[in-house]
């Protein structure tokens, strides 16, 4: 259908879209972590946790989840057993 | 001791080489001793923009690998005696050069020249690291387009990681009429998004194609808008405070009227 608003300049210029998209893209890009860094983080978490609990290393996953306006590190750490010496703490 | 400035962008084809050639010519025209280094190993281009392609004998990789001294390899500009070019190699394994070697070379050049301008290849791989290694400052060239701004942002992050403190922005290929219609990112939008200092605004100008056909930097032609824009950038690099021009055509009713009567 013929769009009158467009004729009268009611439609926003594409610049606004470009700017809004870029605002989100840059937030996203700036907060992304490289796979190497994620691996390092994973290793450090493991190092700390294995002091207290026995972890299924194969099952350990860590991911960066990003939506339009949030970033979160999501991790799932399957525990095989709590260490005997930890239980007394 | 001079300053080394890398001209970079992430994305290809946004005007790094054009900017390097023209800022270099602008600075040399202002009396500075300038060395242009074509750090785009494998894709030699800067010599063409300067019209010096027929004089290339030795190149950057020859210097790095010790087959020629830089003094022997540099080519003096035809028009400006205080401007020289160190051309890049044409077909070469670009990984034959390391960032350390580049830094050493740039440090030597800085002893001799006021400005060492490094024309960076596209991308963020080894070639980028080489071009950035010896740089004290950076100029990030961006076009008013989504993909170019995004790449520029990545590059700024990498430059910061390399501890380069002074990172300045050149917006190239601005089309003022499109900005006016709201169909192109404006300077303020880009500066807000990237959050670095603005060094210059270069309008889209077909004179750039003409001058690259001729092998003459447009900065030496003050009748062209882009020529003025590059000269303004060169002067700002020397510390002059030059107001920014947005290259808007003044087409208001009064200015047209004035033009009609020849009073503008
Ligand atoms: N302001 C401008 N107006 C018109 N054409 C331009 C402008 N800046 C660059 N160009 C053209 O764009 C092309 C790519 O420029 P170049 O400097 O080689 O980019 P890069 O080195 O970033 O790959 C060239 O053909 C050049 O003539
Ligand atoms: Mg180039």
């Amino acid at each position: 259908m013929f769009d009158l608003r467009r004729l009268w300049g009611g439609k926003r210029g594409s610049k606004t879209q470009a700017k809004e998209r870029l605002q989100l893209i840059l937030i996203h890009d700036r907060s992304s972590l490289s796979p190497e860094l994620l691996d390092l983080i994973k290793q450090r978490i493991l190092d700390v946790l294995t002091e207290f609990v026995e972890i299924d290393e194969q099952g350990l996953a860590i991911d960066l989840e990003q939506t339009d306006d949030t970033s979160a590190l999501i991790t799932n750490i399957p525990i095989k057993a709590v260490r005997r010496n930890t239980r007394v703490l | 001791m001079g300053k080394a400035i890398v001209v970079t962008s992430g994305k290809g084809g946004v005007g790094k080489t054009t900017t390097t050639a023209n800022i270099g010519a602008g600075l040399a025209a202002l009396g500075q001793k300038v060395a242009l280094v074509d750090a785009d190993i494998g894709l030699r281009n800067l010599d063409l923009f300067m019209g010096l392609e027929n004089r290339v004998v030795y190149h950057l990789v020859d210097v790095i690998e010790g087959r020629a001294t830089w003094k022997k390899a540099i080519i003096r500009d035809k028009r400006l005696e205080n401007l020289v070019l160190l051309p890049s190699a044409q077909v070469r394994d670009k990984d034959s050069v390391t960032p350390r070697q580049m830094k050493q070379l740039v440090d030597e050049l800085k002893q001799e020249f006021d400005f060492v301008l490094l024309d960076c290849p596209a991308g963020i791989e080894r070639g980028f690291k080489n071009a950035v290694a010896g740089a004290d400052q950076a100029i990030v060239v961006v076009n008013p387009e989504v993909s170019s701004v995004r790449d520029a942002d990545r590059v700024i992050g990498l430059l910061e990681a390399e501890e380069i403190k002074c990172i300045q922005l050149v917006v190239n290929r601005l089309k003022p009429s499109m900005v006016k219609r709201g169909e192109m990112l404006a300077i303020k939008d880009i500066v807000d998004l990237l959050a670095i200092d603005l060094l210059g605004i270069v309008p889209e100008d077909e004179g750039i194609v003409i001058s690259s056909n001729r092998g003459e930097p447009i900065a030496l032609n003050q009748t062209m808008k882009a020529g003025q824009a590059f000269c303004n950038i060169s002067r700002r690099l020397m510390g002059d405070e030059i107001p920014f021009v947005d290259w808007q055509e003044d087409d208001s009713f009064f200015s047209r009227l004035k033009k009609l009567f020849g009073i503008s």
Side-chain angles (χ1 to χ4, degrees):
Chain A
M1 215 187 81
F2 190 68
D3 188 352
L4 258 184
R5 274 178 315 164
R6 191 162 189 158
L7 192 67
W8 296 111
K11 194 164 193 291
R12 297 182 309 168
S14 61
K15 150 206 148 137
T16 316
Q17 261 170 299
K19 185 164 191 184
E20 286 168 359
R21 285 176 66 214
L22 271 165
Q23 278 165 340
L24 295 178
I25 293 165
L26 297 194
I27 290 172
H28 211 272
D29 286 356
R30 285 171 188 169
S31 62
S32 36
L33 302 173
S34 66
E36 296 82 38
L37 190 57
L38 275 178
D39 269 351
L40 186 66
I41 292 173
K42 187 167 153 181
Q43 197 49 55
R44 294 281 167 83
I45 291 176
L46 264 179
D47 290 348
V48 173
L49 291 178
T50 43
E51 245 183 81
F52 307 103
V53 288
E54 217 175 297
I55 287 166
D56 171 16
E57 293 199 22
Q58 299 308 310
L60 178 86
I62 175 164
D63 287 301
L64 186 66
E65 280 199 7
Q66 294 183 308
T67 63
D68 278 356
D69 48 8
T70 60
S71 302
L73 276 177
I74 308 290
T75 174
N76 183 27
I77 309 171
I79 296 175
K80 279 190 193 156
V82 177
R83 292 204 194 284
R84 196 176 291 265
N85 52 356
T86 309
R87 271 185 238 155
V88 292
L89 285 180
Chain B
M1 175 105 136
K3 279 183 199 165
I5 308 178
V6 63
V7 180
T8 182
S9 69
K11 192 172 153 77
V14 299
K16 291 177 291 297
T17 306
T18 307
T19 301
T20 310
N22 282 291
I23 294 180
L27 284 167
L30 292 166
Q32 299 295 297
K33 280 187 80 177
V34 182
L36 305 177
V37 178
D38 189 344
D40 194 346
I41 299 168
L43 293 170
R44 178 195 293 161
N45 258 334
L46 192 48
D47 53 331
L48 295 177
F49 285 76
M50 306 299 296
L52 296 173
E53 66 276 12
N54 292 329
R55 304 190 189 179
V56 176
V57 181
Y58 295 106
H59 52 65
L60 178 65
V61 181
D62 289 329
V63 175
I64 296 277
E65 292 180 347
R67 281 184 297 276
T69 59
W70 66 259
K71 285 199 169 135
K72 201 167 167 187
I74 55 173
I75 311 167
R76 215 154 276 283
D77 186 65
K78 294 174 187 166
R79 298 146 289 240
L80 297 154
E81 57 168 25
N82 44 342
L83 178 62
V84 305
L85 166 72
L86 179 54
S88 143
Q90 185 60 298
V91 206
R92 268 279 163 179
D93 173 16
K94 50 183 171 220
D95 290 339
S96 59
V97 177
T98 68
R100 250 188 74 200
Q101 292 170 318
M102 279 298 288
K103 179 164 170 30
Q104 196 181 348
L105 170 64
V106 172
D107 285 346
E108 277 176 45
L109 292 172
K110 275 162 62 182
Q111 306 288 332
E112 208 76 22
F113 296 91
D114 300 313
F115 286 91
V116 179
L117 300 183
L118 298 138
D119 182 19
C120 186
I124 48 175
E125 313 302 325
R126 176 68 161 272
F128 169 82
K129 296 214 169 75
N130 280 337
V132 165
D136 306 301
Q137 305 181 16
I139 294 175
V140 174
V141 183
V142 69
N143 294 161
E145 283 172 39
V146 176
S147 59
S148 175
V149 174
R150 179 196 205 168
D151 285 5
D153 192 69
R154 294 247 4 236
V155 159
I156 292 166
L158 294 172
L159 291 168
E160 284 170 348
E162 298 281 335
E163 307 263 325
I164 292 183
K165 298 279 182 311
C166 177
I167 306 172
Q168 294 171 295
L169 186 68
V170 168
V171 180
N172 184 32
R173 309 198 80 153
L174 185 81
K175 299 193 181 84
S177 63
M178 283 189 79
V179 175
K180 207 169 170 187
R181 277 187 280 133
E183 301 289 4
M184 179 175 270
L185 288 165
I187 299 299
K188 183 175 183 308
D189 299 326
I190 301 170
V191 173
D192 284 352
L193 285 161
L194 295 176
I196 60 172
D197 290 337
L198 183 63
L199 178 66
I201 307 163
V202 184
E204 175 78 23
D205 187 340
E206 54 178 54
I208 291 210
V209 178
I210 297 168
S211 68
S212 74
N213 288 342
R214 298 210 168 110
E216 289 170 5
I218 199 168
L220 302 176
N221 185 346
Q222 289 293 300
T223 62
M224 309 298 280
K225 281 184 176 178
Q228 290 169 32
F230 282 120
C231 277
N232 287 349
I233 294 173
S234 303
R235 290 174 61 188
R236 288 189 196 108
L237 283 174
M238 290 186 60
D240 291 358
E241 278 198 25
I242 317 279
F244 290 101
V245 186
D246 65 6
W247 309 108
Q248 197 83 245
E249 292 283 350
D250 185 3
D251 61 353
S252 67
F253 174 72
F254 281 112
S255 83
R256 270 181 288 161
L257 204 65
K258 275 198 255 172
K259 263 191 203 138
L260 203 64
F261 291 102
I263 52 173
S264 76

